[in-house]
Amino acid sequence: MHDDIPLTVGRATRVLTERVRPAIHTDAVPLEVSFHALPGEPIPVAEGLGLEFAPYAVGTPWGPAWNTTWFRLRGSVPPEWQGRRAEVVVDLGFDVNMPGFQCEALVYRPDGTPVKSINPRNQWIPVTSDDIDLYLEAAANPVLLDYHPFLPTQEGDIQTSSTRPLYTTRRMDLALFDEPVYELALDIEVLLELQAVLPATAPRRMRILQALDDALDALDLQDISGTAADARSALVDVLAAPAEHSAHHVSAIGHAHIDSAWLWPVRETIRKVARTAAGMTELMEIDPDFRYGMSSAQQYAWLKEHRPEVWERVRKAVKDGRFIPLGGMWVESDTVMPTGEALVRQFTYGQRFFREEFGVESQGVWLPDSFGYSPALPQLIRRAGFQWFFTQKISWNQVNKFPHHTFLWEGIDGSRIFTHFPPMDTYNSQLSGAELAKATNQFRESRVASHSLAPVGWGDGGGGTTREMTGRAARLRNLEGSPTVEWEHPNDFFDKARAEMPHPPVWVGELYLELHRATLTSQHRTKQGNRRSEHLLIEAELWAATAAVRAGVPYPYEEIDRLWQQVLLHQFHDILPGTSIAWVHREAVAAYAEICSAASALIDAACSALAGAGALEITLNPAPFARDGVAALGAGVAAVVDTAPFSGNILSNDLVSVTISDEGLITSAIDLATGRDVIASGQEGNLLQLHQDFPNMWDAWDVDRFYRNRVTDLRAVESLTRTDNSVTIVRAFGKSRITQTLTLAPGSRVLRIDQETDWHETEKFLKVKFPFDVRAEHVAAETQFGYQKRVTHTNTSWEAAKFEASMHRFVLVEEPGFGAALITDSTYGYDVTRDSDPSAGVTTTVRLSLLRAPRFPDPETDQGRQTCSYGLVIGASVAEATEAGLALNLPPRVVRGAHGFDPLVSLTGEGLLISSIKLADDHSGDVIVRLYESQGRRATGTLHLHTEFTGAHPATLLEHPEGEPLPLTDSAIPLHLTPFEVRTLRLTR
């Protein structure tokens, strides 16, 4: 036979696009439309329904950026339409390629009942009575990620956005819905997509193409409605052919990955969640098999607070098992930068909300879009009671293809969690033929397994699953040539996957994303606010718990909950990483200021009650080690320490000696006990370096390797001033100025550098360089509850891709018996290089990442005054680096009072540290103590109790008691921990 494949495909494509789809809605009549444009922020629904409305003509521009327009649509179903299905069709000015990224609306009835959402891929509204009266709360969200993406724009903040209308309505009609034509369109679409991915001459493909030709022959293009049934009859056999026995199986779950903020502010996310949830509960009424999953307890809490009418529908759907709370976290957070305690709170607050509101807890952690995953996560996931982990983001790797889709992920402590990456490589599946073929063809475990998971629906900006997607799923349930598709709870998928793979492969260590590396640096104020807020809240819990036990002061449960929930929200994976619009980060900085103020007030109140009224200077030590004669986690009168002298160009004390050049650079930093200089011979530390920084795409997200090719050393000194124990250097460059103060405290190995930057650069990357005379095979970078090692070489593409990496409070380079570390109070990114020459041997250079200046999505990123503190730890071990990092981030606090006080507990045992002390979330009055092994080795120790406790239990991270009670002998609990083990204890008063 002649090759008519292109002819058939072209014919079917054109008929589908130009004849069949337009015939789904016919005989349209315009509705009477009126409107009310709000001048500012959105208003409650009840107020919107009561507005005064003015006549509106379809085709009139509407909606300046971020504004809301309420439309009212009224009309009647024509008598001649009786017995036929009518729908309202609305086009607000949609671009079908931008669902979630432009205008959208939520439809209400006059009594405030939500109907569903409308968006570029979902423009229909059901008609349930002959008289139509509908209200549309329409949001004029600007398109910021346009066809030419990453262009700087002022539209990302309501304070700078334009006032011109952005959209023009195209239709607001009542139309007949022709169901046979709609079903025919889906038939043709599914078969067209399926044949496109089958082998070129496969018999199955040929049968499909012939059936399509037969169907199109039966279709009268001048009478689509009248002949659609005949056309469908020609497709019955090819749609009924069952899947092969070895076909891949796709477990589908409705989904709309809704970013809690990104190219829209938090206030708009609240409405996106309401719109999507309303649409998904409406879709459940249409398709009894459909199930939808939504993560983030915060988003459910928003519904409960702001949209109770949608919340009630969601509650019912959750009870019916159709609407599935996923993930067990407060938000889909970043997992690289938050402290361990913050990640614990993500789980405790998320699971508590689901448990209290729905009577369920999530069995798995759902993080499809975060920018890499900390190697501390497997232990935390397991200790919080979860059974599985899901993401797909590692499929975005620039260089290396991840070798598994279903596997065990092993963390720094050895914990393993069953993990799945969908082989479709998306969290926004449309169940297209190409996506399904990709799932089949690249599933790495297909020798031993046949199941994968597919989140289905429009995401990022919400929207979710459409009825077209559920229609595809029905056809793909058991179709020859395609994977089978079934709507299924993710728990059921993971049960099947575990059964198929009793011995899965193992991946050890971090899930490093070879992309978006600059998210460790962008929007410094946001990162600084996060770090400070986390530590202040941990400190507030400590002193509040101590005051509750020691002085009977009521524990501020509600205020601590409120503040933690704000911190957790802002750890969302597009806020903390610094990749949102200016509006989001402006509000984040303000939120952090309020959190810090409120947490400080809690601390002050607790400390006042604990120290009593008096004139003594009482030092409170929130760190888990003694300082200046004050016990860890307690308070007392600190020992007086003399200042370290500054002589000429040298800062020194009994432990170290540091030489500062006339350029303000560190030319020598000697550990006096060994005589070792940590600075490489002939080189200089604390050298600021400025790079050109213009990545190929994703400006706020990415730094590309070529940025290193152009660098300017900032050596010029405007002024250099010495005092008794410090030196201050001022440097001017470009349009910016940096002031640094270098200080060496008595008895300290840490040269502290406090930096203030007046930053006015564009598309630049600021680093600070420390070349170390240390032959380090690895660096040790702190992560949650421990550290991770990364090699210093680039032998393979996997190592070479990690040219920018993450740290928390320290990064350490070490050879046997000697090392050096850098500590920070608000930065997270660093890079390391390994150098060698015949005279100096192998040296290791570490550079901290300080500031960037991308122009998208916030064109003013980091402009203005910035502050940070970092330090050089001279002659450091893991223990000394850990202590120095904690000391920098948990400074002592001095108050006036009558006396100090003992800590509630103290901990002995090398490498063991207390992470937090708080009262239990359940208001029982029990004390929660969390501790961990920090040095990566087995440890024994004792927890000493300094108040009356009647019992002690091991507990999960969710604070649920587990196992047998712990022995209490002489108010002490013996402990044995494995490397990096995290232990939670529940003490009963």
Side-chain angles (χ1 to χ4, degrees), residues 174-242:
L174 179 64
L176 285 172
F177 175 76
D178 196 321
E179 189 166 0
V181 175
Y182 167 78
E183 298 292 348
L184 174 62
L186 283 175
D187 292 345
I188 296 173
E189 183 179 86
V190 166
L191 292 171
L192 267 177
E193 291 181 353
L194 176 58
Q195 65 80 32
V197 298
L198 292 173
T201 59
R204 171 63 169 161
R205 187 185 189 206
M206 296 304 143
R207 297 292 190 276
I208 290 173
L209 289 167
Q210 186 57 51
L212 285 170
D213 262 335
D214 293 344
L216 296 176
D217 289 342
L219 188 67
D220 184 345
L221 299 186
Q222 279 67 52
D223 185 15
I224 299 291
S225 179
T227 55
D230 294 337
R232 294 198 70 204
S233 296
L235 301 175
V236 167
D237 288 345
V238 289
L239 286 169

Side-chain angles (χ1 to χ4, degrees), residues 182 186 249-256 280 283-284 286-294 321-324 326 366 424 427-432 435-436 451-458 463-478 483-494 496:
Y182 167 78
L186 283 175
H249 303 290
V250 172
S251 297
I253 181 68
H255 189 240
M280 296 304 95
L283 189 56
M284 290 171 191
I286 298 171
D287 189 328
D289 294 327
F290 175 62
R291 287 182 168 190
Y292 177 77
M294 188 171 90
R322 307 284 303 283
F323 200 114
I324 301 166
L326 291 174
W366 183 274
M424 279 187 187
Y427 52 78
N428 292 328
S429 172
Q430 302 172 52
L431 293 178
S432 70
E435 290 169 342
L436 292 164
H451 285 80
S452 67
L453 187 61
V456 178
W458 297 107
T465 318
T466 65
R467 66 180 177 186
E468 289 77 15
M469 294 173 189
T470 62
R472 289 191 200 109
R475 288 159 175 79
L476 296 165
R477 186 178 183 90
N478 187 18
T484 64
V485 175
E486 182 178 7
W487 296 111
E488 198 162 34
H489 195 303
N491 289 345
D492 297 330
F493 159 75
F494 276 94
K496 292 176 181 178

Side-chain angles (χ1 to χ4, degrees), residues 20 96 107 141 147 192 227 267 277 292-293 302 340 465 567 586 598 609 617 638 747 788 803 936 942:
V20 177
V96 295
V107 183
N141 301 332
Y147 290 100
L192 267 177
T227 55
R267 70 89 150 144
Y292 177 77
W302 281 333
T465 318
V567 170
R586 171 170 56 81
E617 282 196 351
Q788 59 182 315
F803 59 83
T942 304

